[in-house]
Amino acid sequence: MKHYLLLFGVLLPTFLFAQKKICIQTLHSTLVFSVGTDHRLYQTYFGKELSAASIAGLSAGEGVESYLTAGGHNLFSPAIRMVHSDGNPSLELRVTDDTTIKVDEDRSTTRITMKDPVYPVTVQLCFSVYYREDVIKSWMEVTQEEREPVRLYNFASSMLHFQAGSYWLTQFHGDFAEEMHRQED
């Protein structure tokens, strides 16, 4: 009986955390992440504002993986690609924590902490919400505590998945935008 209680005490927190949903909302939009049973971060929903009941009805751990890493099971373009000090190009990020701090009635910041189970690497996905303005600002922070430097080849502030039929883009900055401008000339 003692062994069953120990097993229950170890597995229950894992099961409960795996059902976790992380909701980021503005006045007219909702972004929902969930943590799968594999402890990976999934984008469950991104679109028009949802009620609390609708968010509760979303299936946790379903959707598309939210921050793909290079060197493991990912065959697509990664959000982050790192080569460790020992030359290993694998990175696996598992969600370990999330916090939301309300700055005032209009602003809040959510941080989703993910760690590699083997290497001392932590990635925090950060989202600042400006509720009334319908703005979500994102960035990421990488911390590594390996004895030697690591090499970062790719790193994105986020990896949001859009699934609507059409979009209205008000600003786009970066190499792709500059290339599009050159093609128009």
Side-chain angles (χ1 to χ4, degrees):
M1 182 67 168
K2 187 176 181 181
H3 295 291
Y4 290 117
L5 289 176
L6 179 61
L7 182 62
F8 183 74
V10 169
L11 293 179
L12 183 61
T14 301
F15 177 76
L16 291 176
F17 189 72
Q19 302 302 314
K20 174 92 175 150
K21 291 181 191 164
I22 304 163
C23 184
I24 298 169
Q25 260 185 312
T26 69
L27 185 62
H28 296 105
S29 64
T30 301
L31 172 58
V32 180
F33 294 107
S34 62
V35 181
T37 54
D38 57 1
H39 297 277
R40 294 182 192 270
L41 186 67
Y42 292 89
Q43 181 181 316
T44 306
Y45 178 84
F46 185 41
K48 293 180 181 178
E49 179 189 16
L50 293 180
S51 66
S54 296
I55 293 169
L58 295 173
S59 297
E62 290 186 9
V64 289
E65 193 169 343
S66 183
Y67 202 73
L68 294 171
T69 59
H73 69 283
N74 173 37
L75 301 176
F76 300 104
S77 181
I80 186 168
R81 186 165 72 101
M82 171 186 289
V83 175
H84 299 280
S85 59
D86 65 1
N88 186 342
S90 295
L91 181 66
E92 181 181 336
L93 295 175
R94 296 181 182 174
V95 177
T96 59
D97 192 23
D98 71 278
T99 58
T100 299
I101 297 170
K102 191 167 186 168
V103 178
D104 57 35
E105 289 302 313
D106 189 46
R107 297 178 300 151
S108 64
T109 300
T110 299
R111 291 177 171 267
I112 303 169
T113 304
M114 300 179 292
K115 294 183 179 182
D116 187 286
V118 176
Y119 291 93
V121 175
T122 301
V123 174
Q124 280 195 343
L125 296 181
C126 308
F127 300 90
S128 268
V129 172
Y130 298 86
Y131 184 80
R132 288 187 300 266
E133 292 82 5
D134 279 322
V135 172
I136 300 173
K137 176 175 80 170
S138 68
W139 70 96
M140 56 83 84
E141 298 173 2
V142 178
T143 306
Q144 70 89 15
E145 296 178 5
E146 295 185 32
R147 293 183 182 182
E148 300 292 324
V150 300
R151 289 176 295 200
L152 282 174
Y153 290 99
N154 302 69
F155 47 96
S157 60
S158 65
M159 191 174 188
L160 297 176
H161 301 277
F162 299 95
Q163 299 178 1
S166 63
Y167 296 96
W168 180 41
L169 185 62
T170 59
Q171 180 179 356
F172 192 79
H173 181 73
D175 293 339
F176 182 76
E178 292 169 12
E179 180 63 29
M180 292 297 290
H181 181 68
R182 277 186 282 225
Q183 290 178 3
E184 291 174 357
D185 292 341

